[in-house]
Amino acid sequence: MSLAEVFEHALGGTNDVAFKAYDGSYAGPADAEVLLEVRSPLALRFVVTSPGDLGLARAYVTGHLEVHGDLFRALQTLTQARIGDLDWAQRLEVLKAAGGIAALRRPPLPSVEHRRSLHRRHSKSRDAKVISHHYDVSNRFYEWVLGPTMAYTCATYPTADATLEEAQAAKFDLVARKLALQPGMRLLDVGCGWGGMVLHSAREYGVRVLGVTLSRNQADWAKREIDGAGLSDRAEVRHLDYRDVLETDFDAVSYIGLTEHIGLANLPSYFTFLASKLRDGGRILNHCITRSTTKEPARAGGFINNYVFPDGELEGVGTIVSAMQDNGLEVRHEENLREHYAMTLRDWGANIERHWDEAVAEVGLQRARVWRLYMAASRLGFTTRRIELHQVLGVKTSPTGVSGWPLRPDW
């Protein structure tokens, strides 16, 4: 069996993917849409010594495995490595091709892989480190990937041909309308990122808004945008843990893409804390990625946990709803925007390809390859419903149950 055939067998060949190895061997159809090139023995060593998709990710990030053709299409056809399903004879073939018993020694990890902190999971110090790992990369890099809105969460596309910028503006406006924002109201935006919701709600709805983020880069960028837009009289972004916000009696709370960082065990205290920041009748909107069921483990693993969102935890929407209901909030509306996130990732992926050379120069080849893989893999996850995106809208009722809610949703 040639090296290319070994790799094909390890991953599970299809009619749409071909394999080429550094020894000159080739396997698969000659007219395949996608070609996977095994550039060195380290590619197989990563696959042999790492569980699930992590080995493939390590091989790709380090450049020992190259994908020629559309990466999203490649992932569609090779959604899961079969290395764990091989019998012992097949494992020996893989080991032999990878360099024998020496292949069981894991190669050095890529430099951009996250090294876990010794601090307690979801403690303030550990949360600050993992948020910095992902968000404090380079504001310039994020501008190229995210576009002018600097919105790093699922957009809502008003039409199938809407631009990314139109869809992000529509997302912020949908949140504002669900929260029933009016001039003079006070909004707390938790995990505000680069201030997209802060800017939109202050500019378009005349609210007074406080945004908080654990990323210094995000806070600095947002402050400059607020000052440049002349909104500093009613908009503020602080580099601050949401748990350290002292103000209360907000009319509304938004948290767009934060719950993924909170952790299942902390959901009760999280929602209790946010409910305590609301006045009676105040609304709260949770916008986050979820599992497609409540039966799966919450903690993320593999590639995403090691490279993208360390300590990330995704729950099913039923878990989110229950946690809100059980901790001071009445749930009034829920919406799944799964297809919209696949479209958002499609457009982010196109942006990174458009700025590829600049991105590599800015953040390095390994990190750029992490992002290329992350965008394609996440897009596939939303497309195939392995993950979803839900908005859950709630209200803090008065002690007598008054919600101030209209008879029907008015947005």
Side-chain angles (χ1 to χ4, degrees):
M1 185 181 291
S2 71
L3 180 54
E5 289 172 328
V6 168
F7 204 77
E8 177 188 41
H9 191 72
L11 298 183
T14 75
N15 292 330
D16 299 316
V17 179
F19 298 83
K20 178 182 178 182
Y22 57 88
D23 65 351
S25 60
Y26 188 96
D31 59 348
E33 295 181 38
V34 176
L35 174 66
L36 267 64
E37 181 185 1
V38 185
R39 289 180 161 177
S40 83
L42 288 180
L44 276 177
R45 285 181 60 188
F46 275 123
V47 171
V48 168
T49 59
S50 306
D53 65 356
L54 189 54
L56 287 173
R58 285 169 170 162
Y60 178 76
V61 168
T62 54
H64 296 288
L65 175 67
E66 185 58 275
V67 178
H68 301 280
D70 184 71
L71 182 56
F72 175 71
R73 179 62 179 148
L75 294 178
Q76 278 186 309
T77 56
L78 296 172
T79 55
Q80 183 176 349
R82 284 177 42 200
I83 193 70
D85 299 331
L86 301 183
D87 61 32
W88 283 108
Q90 293 165 332
R91 285 174 180 270
L92 288 174
E93 286 289 337
V94 174
L95 284 172
K96 181 180 177 182
I101 297 302
L104 294 176
R105 294 197 306 269
R106 188 176 67 183
L109 297 180
S111 60
V112 294
E113 186 162 320
H114 178 67
R115 295 340 188 230
R116 286 181 176 81
S117 168
L118 297 178
H119 293 92
R120 179 174 55 84
R121 189 180 182 89
H122 295 303
S123 63
K124 289 182 179 180
S125 57
R126 180 157 163 170
D127 280 352
K129 289 182 183 297
V130 299
I131 292 299
S132 179
H133 169 83
H134 187 75
Y135 296 99
D136 289 339
V137 174
S138 160
N139 281 339
R140 180 178 297 176
F141 172 76
Y142 276 107
E143 287 180 56
W144 290 327
V145 176
L146 304 180
T149 64
M150 288 293 277
Y152 188 28
T153 50
C154 174
T156 56
Y157 288 74
T159 62
D161 59 352
T163 67
L164 175 62
E165 287 67 41
E166 291 169 339
Q168 290 292 10
K171 183 265 301 295
F172 289 131
D173 209 60
L174 177 63
V175 173
R177 286 182 285 120
K178 284 183 174 181
L179 291 173
L181 297 183
Q182 300 291 331
M185 283 185 169
R186 296 174 63 235
L187 168 68
L188 172 63
D189 187 34
V190 180
C192 68
W194 287 271
M197 184 64 192
V198 172
L199 288 158
H200 185 89
S201 56
R203 182 177 59 242
E204 305 298 332
Y205 286 84
V207 303
R208 290 175 291 148
V209 54
L210 169 62
V212 294
T213 173
L214 278 175
S215 166
R216 170 66 70 183
N217 281 6
Q218 289 180 336
D220 291 344
W221 196 94
K223 289 174 184 176
R224 289 194 296 270
E225 291 296 302
I226 289 169
D227 291 341
L231 295 171
S232 56
D233 60 328
R234 57 180 182 269
E236 178 186 3
V237 167
R238 298 176 191 166
H239 179 225
L240 186 71
D241 191 295
Y242 78 92
R243 290 164 285 197
D244 294 326
V245 173
L246 300 178
E247 293 90 337
T248 59
D249 293 321
F250 287 94
D251 297 286
V253 174
S254 56
Y255 36 111
I256 306 173
L258 174 67
T259 312
E260 300 91 332
H261 299 289
I262 297 302
L264 177 62
N266 297 322
L267 288 182
S269 60
Y270 173 64
F271 287 117
T272 297
F273 178 84
L274 295 180
S276 75
K277 296 300 172 183
L278 281 171
R279 64 165 177 81
D280 289 349
R283 297 187 185 186
I284 190 165
L285 186 132
N286 181 76
H287 169 121
C288 73
I289 302 170
T290 69
R291 302 282 186 185
S292 57
T293 74
T294 58
K295 299 177 181 179
E296 302 163 78
R299 292 190 181 183
F303 166 64
I304 294 295
N305 190 62
N306 283 269
Y307 287 91
V308 186
F309 292 116
D311 291 348
E313 297 186 29
L314 303 182
E315 296 84 24
V317 66
T319 301
I320 300 293
V321 168
S322 295
M324 291 176 69
Q325 288 179 319
D326 294 344
N327 295 283
L329 298 163
E330 181 183 23
V331 173
R332 303 300 300 245
H333 186 268
E334 186 280 327
E335 181 175 8
N336 187 355
L337 299 171
R338 175 172 66 85
E339 292 85 356
H340 291 263
Y341 217 158
M343 296 168 71
T344 305
L345 285 154
R346 174 202 64 195
D347 290 347
W348 287 343
N351 280 348
I352 198 170
E353 295 303 327
R354 196 157 34 241
H355 294 280
W356 181 253
D357 292 340
E358 300 153 289
V360 170
E362 180 71 15
V363 301
L365 182 58
Q366 283 195 7
R367 193 174 297 278
R369 288 171 76 89
V370 165
W371 273 78
R372 177 188 268 170
L373 181 58
Y374 154 53
M375 294 295 174
S378 296
R379 178 185 171 190
L380 181 62
F382 286 104
T383 299
T384 57
R385 201 190 157 231
R386 291 206 299 271
I387 45 178
E388 301 173 348
L389 188 288
H390 287 263
Q391 286 188 349
V392 183
L393 182 61
V395 63
K396 180 181 179 181
T397 63
S398 74
T400 59
V402 176
S403 67
W405 211 263
L407 291 178
R408 296 294 301 156
D410 55 3
W411 56 85

